[in-house]
Amino acid sequence: MKLNTLVITTILTSLVSAAAFSQAKLSTNIPHLEKRGTATQLIVDGKPFLVIGAELNNSSASSVEYMQPLWPKIAATNLNTVLATVSWELTEPEEGRFDFNLVDSLIQGARRQNLHLILLWFGSWKNGKSTYQPVWVKTNQQRFPIIQDEKGKGLPTLSTLSDANRDADARAFAALMRHIRAADGEAHTVIMIQVENEVGVLGPSRDHSPLANQAFAGPVPKEFMNYLQMHKDTLIPELRKRWESAGFKTSGSWEEVFGAGMATDELFMAWNYARYVGHVAAAGKAEYPLPMFVNAWLRQGPDKPNEDKPGGYPSGGPLAQVMDAWRAGGPAIDILSPDVHVPNYADWCTWYTQSGNPLFIPESRGDARGVAQAIATAGKYDGIGYSPFGIDRLANPDGELAKGYQVLAQVAPLILERQGLGKMTAVLVDKETPRSKVRLGDYTIEARFAARAQDPNAPVAPPVDRVASLFIQLGPDDYVIVGRSMGVYFETAADPTQSVGLAVVEEGQYVDGRWVPGRRLNGDETPEWKALWFQGDRYTIQKIKLYRYH
Ligand code: DGJ
C-alpha cells in the first residue's frame, strides 16, 4: 500500500470509528422505553420518567409570540412536559425546503422553564382529515390521491394506499427527526413523538377508491396472516372471535377471512393506516429513534350509536379492537394511545393495556377528575404518563391541575421505583362506585368516597365527583397513601382473626425525594382511631405504620 493511500485509509478508519463512537454514545443515552417487571417505562437521561404533562391547543405552537407569555404559566402549573404540534405545512412550505425555526423556538422555550417536550407530527392526517399537509400537496391530487366514499366522491383525506403520499410525508418527518437529533441529541428536551393525529376514515367505514376496492377484494397480506397465526392465542378477543367465526382461514380476501361488515372494513383500514404510519415512523427512527406513539379518537359508546361505529369515529385508527393490525403493520410504533374524552376512563385503560401495550394518555381532562385519572394512570396501570388537552386554558398556578400535579410530582419517584413490581396500586371512587377495596401486601385497603368532609372542623372543600387514592407500599406494615375527599380503611388480608390499628400516621410532603413530616395525625383526624381521613380542597399525602392485634 502506498504511503498516501495508507494515510487516507487511516484517516477514514478513524473518522468512521469516531462517527460510530458518537452514534453509540448518542444511542445509549437517548430517551427510550425499557421493560421493568410487568411495566414499560420511559427512560430519560438514564432514569425512569413519569410524564406529568398537558397538550397545547392545535395552533398555539405556530406562533413564537403567542407562546411567550404562556411558557411561565405552564411551568407554574407544575407540569414537567408539554405536548406541542409540529405541522408538515409549516415545516416544508415548499417541496424540499425545510424550516425548523418553530421547532427550535419550542425547544428553547421549554428548556428555559425546565420542561420536556413531546412533539406531535401533524402530517398526512389530523382527526381523520388531511388539513395539515402543505399547499403543494393539498392542491395536487393527481400526485397525492385522496380517498373516496361509496359513490366515488372524494373526501378531504389523503389515501393510505399511495406510495407518493407516504413517501412525501416520510421524507418530511425524517428531516424533522434529523433536525431534532442535531438540535437536541445531547440535551433531551424532546422525549417522545406522536406520529400523525387521530387517523382513520370519517364518514364511510372504509376507502372506496378503485385502488382501495382492489386491495379489499385481493388477498389479506401475507405479513398480516403470518402475524395472526403466530399470535393466535394472544390476539385481542374481538379479532380472534371474528377470525374464528369465519373458520380461521389462513388465506383469502378480507371478507373471506374475517366475514363481511363494518368491523372488517375497519380492520382493513387499520392495516393500511398502520403500514403507512409505521413506514413514516420507521423513516424518522432511522434518523433519531425516540419512542413513538399514535393516538386514537375513541368509539363513543352505545348512548351515541352514530359515533360508536366505524366511520362515526375514524375507521382504522389505533383502537383497542384492531390493535393487532397496528402491531403487525407498524412495528416501529411503540405505543397505541387512547385520547380519553369519554367518561368510562378505567375501561379504556384496561383495553389499552392488553397485549403488553404501555399506557400513555396524550389527551383527556384537566379538571379534578383529570387529576384523579392522572394518579390512577401512573399508580394502577403503570402508565408512562398523562396529559389533559388544552393547557392554554388550564394553565393556572391555583387551579385543580396545578394542585394535583404538585402532589403527583412529589410521589413520582416512589411510583417509578415500584411500577411493574406489585408494590403499589390505586383506585378511582365516585358517586356511582363510592367504595373500592384492593389488596396490597398483607393488607386489604378500602377507599370510601366522601363528597363532603365528615369532620365539622375540616376546611370546606369544593365538591368533586371522582377522586383517586394511591397506595404505595414501603415495607410490610408501612405505606404512603395519597388521597382526597375520602376515608381509607384497613383489614388484614393474611389473618382474619386479627384487627388492624394505626401505629403512626403523619401527613407531610416529599421535598426533593425526602419525607418532611407535618402534623402527627390522631384523635378526630383518624376517625374511630382506625381510618385515615383525607379532607380539604386538595390531594394530601399520609405516611403510616400499621400494627395488628387480637
Ligand atoms: C382531539 C384532537 O386530537 C385534538 O387535536 C383536538 O382537536 C381535540 N380533539 C379538541 O378537543
Side-chain angles (χ1 to χ4, degrees):
M1 197 185 288
K2 282 196 196 139
L3 187 63
N4 53 355
T5 318
L6 182 68
V7 170
I8 290 169
T9 312
T10 314
I11 292 171
L12 278 180
T13 314
S14 58
L15 280 179
V16 167
S17 54
F21 174 71
S22 80
Q23 168 99 15
K25 194 173 139 216
L26 194 69
S27 56
T28 50
N29 214 4
I30 61 178
H32 61 278
L33 299 178
E34 227 170 80
K35 207 78 189 133
R36 181 163 203 261
T38 52
T40 300
Q41 296 188 310
L42 172 64
I43 308 294
V44 178
D45 293 325
K47 287 194 298 238
F49 183 85
L50 182 67
V51 177
I52 301 178
E55 183 168 328
L56 287 162
N57 286 343
N58 298 154
S59 309
S60 312
S62 69
S63 160
V64 179
E65 290 70 34
Y66 177 91
M67 285 303 298
Q68 231 153 28
L70 197 52
W71 283 116
K73 284 195 210 155
I74 292 176
T77 309
N78 302 319
L79 278 65
N80 62 20
T81 305
V82 177
L83 280 69
T85 302
V86 175
S87 74
W88 184 8
E89 61 176 345
L90 295 177
T91 300
E92 194 183 6
E94 286 165 34
E95 188 167 8
R97 182 173 73 75
F98 294 101
D99 181 342
F100 295 112
N101 284 325
L102 285 170
V103 175
D104 291 340
S105 96
L106 277 176
I107 293 176
Q108 293 311 326
R111 277 187 195 158
R112 265 185 230 119
Q113 304 294 336
N114 274 326
L115 289 163
H116 284 282
L117 281 172
I118 292 176
L119 297 179
L120 318 173
W121 173 242
F122 282 23
S124 295
W125 301 288
K126 144 82 172 119
N127 297 28
K129 301 252 164 67
S130 299
T131 57
Y132 278 88
Q133 72 276 45
V135 176
W136 56 268
V137 177
K138 266 182 202 154
T139 52
N140 190 347
Q141 287 151 35
Q142 267 319 89
R143 182 173 160 204
F144 302 111
I146 55 177
I147 66 168
Q148 291 176 10
D149 69 10
E150 298 89 333
K151 294 186 182 134
K153 191 168 176 310
L155 299 177
T157 304
L158 285 167
S159 163
T160 55
L161 288 155
S162 151
D163 289 356
N165 293 354
R166 184 197 65 191
D167 294 346
D169 187 335
R171 264 194 304 275
F173 184 64
L176 169 68
M177 295 309 294
R178 192 156 54 239
H179 182 80
I180 296 173
R181 178 193 176 116
D184 193 50
E186 293 291 327
H188 309 141
T189 300
V190 184
I191 53 174
M192 284 209 288
I193 302 288
Q194 179 186 292
V195 193
E196 315 292 344
N197 190 79
E198 294 189 349
V199 304
V201 181
L202 272 178
S205 49
R206 71 169 176 87
D207 182 2
H208 290 268
S209 64
L211 212 57
N213 287 343
Q214 197 189 329
F216 188 67
V220 175
K222 262 218 175 65
E223 300 95 307
F224 191 30
M225 281 308 346
N226 290 344
Y227 179 97
L228 292 175
Q229 286 166 77
M230 273 173 62
H231 296 84
K232 194 169 179 180
D233 296 332
T234 51
L235 293 175
I236 299 293
E238 289 96 315
L239 176 60
R240 192 186 144 92
K241 215 180 276 161
R242 196 160 335 112
W243 186 27
E244 185 177 16
S245 313
F248 279 139
K249 291 195 186 76
T250 54
S251 65
S253 72
W254 287 85
E255 293 192 331
E256 282 162 358
V257 176
F258 301 109
M262 276 190 173
T264 296
D265 292 356
E266 180 183 28
L267 190 64
F268 167 74
M269 287 316 305
W271 168 258
N272 286 298
Y273 276 107
R275 293 293 284 178
Y276 186 124
V277 181
H279 181 95
V280 172
K285 280 193 167 178
E287 297 295 341
Y288 186 41
L290 286 179
M292 297 198 183
F293 65 95
V294 289
N295 63 331
W297 169 336
L298 302 179
R299 54 193 309 169
Q300 299 295 299
D303 314 353
K304 295 185 184 166
N306 286 338
E307 296 166 61
D308 200 39
K309 54 177 198 240
Y313 61 86
S315 176
L319 274 93
Q321 66 270 21
V322 290
M323 247 184 198
D324 291 301
W326 275 87
R327 284 275 171 251
I333 298 161
D334 302 295
I335 305 174
L336 310 178
S337 285
D339 288 344
V340 192
H341 298 288
V342 282
N344 52 336
Y345 189 78
D347 291 339
W348 287 103
C349 291
T350 304
W351 294 326
Y352 271 85
T353 42
Q354 292 179 100
S355 318
N357 185 50
L359 189 65
F360 176 67
I361 307 293
E363 289 184 35
S364 194
R365 323 163 52 124
D367 54 2
R369 258 184 187 237
V371 171
Q373 294 174 176
I375 293 172
T377 301
K380 180 172 165 68
Y381 302 101
D382 291 338
I384 283 172
Y386 182 86
S387 154
F389 183 83
I391 187 61
D392 314 44
R393 169 183 47 88
L394 295 166
N396 169 8
D398 304 314
E400 286 289 350
L401 190 64
K403 286 190 288 185
Y405 269 7
Q406 203 262 349
V407 175
L408 184 58
Q410 286 183 51
V411 292
L414 296 182
I415 292 175
L416 290 166
E417 273 167 27
R418 285 165 183 77
Q419 282 189 331
L421 305 180
K423 293 192 178 302
M424 168 185 68
T425 190
V427 294
L428 286 169
V429 281
D430 54 27
K431 277 187 245 150
E432 286 76 47
T433 316
R435 292 183 177 204
S436 182
K437 258 189 193 180
V438 282
R439 176 168 178 176
L440 188 62
D442 288 340
Y443 294 94
T444 301
I445 311 178
E446 181 175 354
R448 295 185 194 166
F449 179 57
R452 249 179 244 108
Q454 292 162 33
D455 175 359
N457 302 314
V460 179
V464 282
D465 57 358
R466 179 181 289 171
V467 290
S469 188
L470 174 66
F471 311 126
I472 297 172
Q473 193 184 8
L474 300 183
D477 301 310
D478 295 83
Y479 291 81
V480 163
I481 311 229
V482 177
R484 173 183 179 172
S485 303
M486 64 174 65
V488 175
Y489 296 78
F490 301 88
E491 288 165 24
T492 59
D495 178 356
T497 64
Q498 295 184 326
S499 301
V500 179
L502 302 171
V504 180
V505 180
E506 291 174 342
E507 74 177 357
Q509 299 189 46
Y510 280 93
V511 179
D512 299 327
R514 201 171 50 83
W515 176 246
V516 179
R519 289 185 301 168
R520 173 77 166 240
L521 300 181
N522 206 330
D524 290 347
E525 282 69 50
T526 53
E528 303 161 52
W529 299 280
K530 64 175 191 192
L532 309 178
W533 260 7
F534 290 88
Q535 308 191 92
D537 68 348
R538 62 188 64 214
Y539 282 91
T540 52
I541 309 174
Q542 298 187 17
K543 188 162 180 279
I544 64 165
K545 184 179 265 309
L546 302 170
Y547 73 101
R548 285 170 261 185
Y549 58 93
H550 282 281

